[in-house]
Amino acid sequence: MIVHLSRAEEEGLDGKFGDSISIAYKLLLSIGKATDAERLIPVDWVHLSGVNYNTIGDAGANFLTKFSEEARFSVQTTINPMGYDAHKQNNLSSKFKIKQGEIIKAYENMGSVPSFSCTPYELFQLPERGHNVSFAESNAAVMANSVFGLQTNKESSLSALASAVTGKAPYSDLRMSSIRDPKIKIKIDTDLNSELDYGILGYFAGKAVKESCVSFGPHVSNIDMYKTKSLAAALGTSGACGMFSNKEIDWEDISFGKEEVKSVMDELNSNESGDVIALGSPQLGLYELELISNMMGGKKFSKKCMVFCARPIYEKACSSGIAQKLESAGANIICDACTCLSPLLTHDEYDGVITNSIKAAHYLNKSNRVSVCLSNIKSIIKEYTK
C-alpha cells in the first residue's frame, strides 16, 4: 500500500523542517504502510506513554533527551504517569529520580502538558465526537473510542510521539468507520456485578478477540465509571482490541462463562492475601474516590493502602473533603504515578499486593514480580478494614 503524502508532508519527510520532523514522518510512513493507510490525517490531541523510567529505561531516556533538543509538539500533548509522586517521601534510588527527571525535562522541552495521568479523559475538555486523536495509553485509547466517540488507534509510545511532533496519524484501523463496527460478540453466560467482574471480562476478550472492535451487547450499556474503566483497561492490556461496543450483531459469538472467569483468575490471582493494598490502575477519578470513602463508613484500613490518582482529581477531592476522609482512614494518596510498573511496589518490599485491578495484576505479576490477591473493592473494604 502506498501512503499518499501532501507536499508539506513530503517536505517534512525530506528533512526541510529538521531531523526530528523527518524521523517522525518516517515512522508514521512505516506504520501507514504496515496498516494499509492511504494517507495521513490531522489529530487534535496526543496522549503519550513512555513517561515512567521503569518502562523506557536508560535507552528511552537518552533518546528523548536527544530528540527534545530540536523536536517541538505541534498539537496539545498530555503525558502518562511517571514513576512516583515527587511531593511524597519515598525510598527510591537517586539514579531513578535523576533519570525520571531527565524524561520529564525532555517532554517539558517539547511542550507537553504535565498531566502525569492515564485518565486524561477525566481531566481535559474532550474534542467533539468523531474527532481524531492519538492515544498511546491503552485504557485511554479504549475509553476514547468506546465511550467518548473519539477516533484513535492503540498507539505505541513512538507512534504517538511522532503524531505529537507532526500533528498527523495514519488513516487506518479504528480511524475508519468500517473497522469500528464490531464483527464479533462476547456471549456473556455469567453474572457481572463488580468492577473486578468487568475487568475479568475485558481481559478475557482482549485475549480471545483478534479484531479491533468487540461487542459485549447490552451488558455495557448502563454501567458506572468504575466498571467501565476496569473493562477498558483490562481489554487494552491483554490484546490488540482497542474498542468495545454495545451493538447487537449476528456475527460470531465467543462464550464467556464461569470457566473463562476461572482461567483469568488462575492466571492473575497468585496470592491469597498481601501486605499492601493498591488501588488505581487506571488512576481513580473523583467518582471512585467518593465511592470508596462512602464504603469505608468511618473504618480504617488494617493494612498499608496506596491510592493512585491524578493530581487535579486529588485537589478536587481535597476541596470536597473526600481526600481527608480517605487519608484519615489510612490511605496514602499518591499523585502523578500509577499502580502499573510502579517502583513503589517491588518484590523486595512486598510479598503480595491486594488490588481490584486486572491491569495492575497483569503488570505486578509479570513485570514487578510481585504476587497479587485479586478482590473487588467491596470485598477489600470488608476484609481489610476495622
Side-chain angles (χ1 to χ4, degrees), residues 152-342:
T152 179
N153 291 331
K154 277 183 65 183
E155 302 292 351
S156 69
S157 56
L158 284 177
S159 66
L161 181 63
S163 290
V165 171
T166 62
K168 303 292 181 68
Y171 180 60
S172 61
D173 198 26
L174 285 166
R175 294 195 173 91
M176 305 175 71
S177 58
S178 60
I179 305 297
R180 296 173 69 86
D181 284 327
K183 298 174 179 61
I184 194 162
K185 178 184 174 183
I186 301 296
K187 183 175 180 290
I188 299 172
D189 298 318
T190 187
D191 292 335
L192 300 174
N193 298 306
S194 70
E195 77 290 343
L196 179 59
D197 294 338
Y198 281 90
I200 293 170
L201 169 63
Y203 194 80
F204 168 78
K207 283 194 160 189
V209 173
K210 306 309 176 187
E211 301 284 341
S212 294
C213 182
V214 61
S215 172
F216 294 120
H219 294 274
V220 297
S221 295
N222 295 299
I223 58 175
D224 65 26
M225 184 57 81
Y226 211 169
K227 296 182 179 76
T228 304
K229 287 166 65 176
S230 297
L231 175 67
L235 179 67
T237 295
S238 60
C241 191
M243 180 177 177
F244 64 83
S245 169
N246 62 1
K247 287 184 179 179
E248 289 285 8
I249 58 172
D250 296 324
W251 294 67
E252 179 185 354
D253 285 353
I254 297 177
S255 293
F256 174 78
K258 292 181 179 178
E259 286 188 16
E260 289 71 29
V261 171
K262 183 178 184 300
S263 70
V264 173
M265 288 295 284
D266 285 347
E267 176 185 347
L268 298 177
N269 187 48
S270 52
N271 202 326
E272 292 183 358
S273 186
D275 40 12
V276 62
I277 300 165
L279 305 174
S281 178
Q283 290 171 324
L284 300 187
L286 199 60
Y287 172 83
E288 298 102 279
L289 292 176
E290 184 173 17
L291 182 71
I292 294 168
S293 174
N294 291 338
M295 283 183 180
M296 293 296 295
K299 295 181 179 180
K300 295 183 182 295
F301 288 105
S302 58
K303 291 181 180 285
K304 184 175 182 178
C305 179
M306 298 181 183
V307 174
F308 294 84
C309 70
R311 193 166 299 281
I313 297 295
Y314 175 66
E315 291 169 354
K316 288 181 180 179
C318 287
S319 297
S320 63
I322 294 170
Q324 292 87 337
K325 288 180 182 178
L326 288 171
E327 289 168 336
S328 295
N332 179 18
I333 302 179
I334 299 168
C335 302
D336 302 334
C338 177
T339 310
C340 288
L341 297 163
S342 172

Side-chain angles (χ1 to χ4, degrees), residues 52 54-55 83 96 338-345 360 363-364 367-368:
N52 185 345
N54 257 10
T55 66
F96 186 96
C338 177
T339 310
C340 288
L341 297 163
S342 172
L344 303 173
L345 294 164
Y363 285 107
L364 286 166
S367 298
N368 291 45

Side-chain angles (χ1 to χ4, degrees), residues 50-124:
V51 181
N52 185 345
Y53 175 57
N54 257 10
T55 66
I56 66 173
D58 290 333
N62 294 339
F63 166 77
L64 286 172
T65 297
K66 180 67 176 175
F67 192 69
S68 68
E69 291 175 1
E70 179 187 272
R72 296 295 179 268
F73 296 147
S74 61
V75 294
Q76 172 177 278
T77 301
T78 51
I79 57 176
N80 239 18
M82 58 175 173
Y84 70 107
D85 185 339
H87 297 202
K88 297 270 188 177
Q89 292 292 323
N90 58 69
N91 59 358
L92 300 180
S93 69
S94 57
K95 180 191 175 181
F96 186 96
K97 294 177 182 178
I98 290 169
K99 299 303 289 188
Q100 182 67 84
E102 290 176 4
I103 294 167
I104 300 311
K105 182 66 174 175
Y107 283 124
E108 182 183 279
N109 287 345
M110 289 185 279
S112 69
V113 178
S115 51
F116 303 118
S117 174
C118 53
T119 58
Y121 47 84
E122 294 187 316
L123 307 183
F124 299 93

Side-chain angles (χ1 to χ4, degrees), residues 19-29 67 161-163 165-166:
D19 290 341
S20 61
I21 295 287
S22 177
I23 291 169
Y25 272 118
K26 286 175 182 175
L27 182 58
L28 294 177
L29 192 60
F67 192 69
L161 181 63
S163 290
V165 171
T166 62

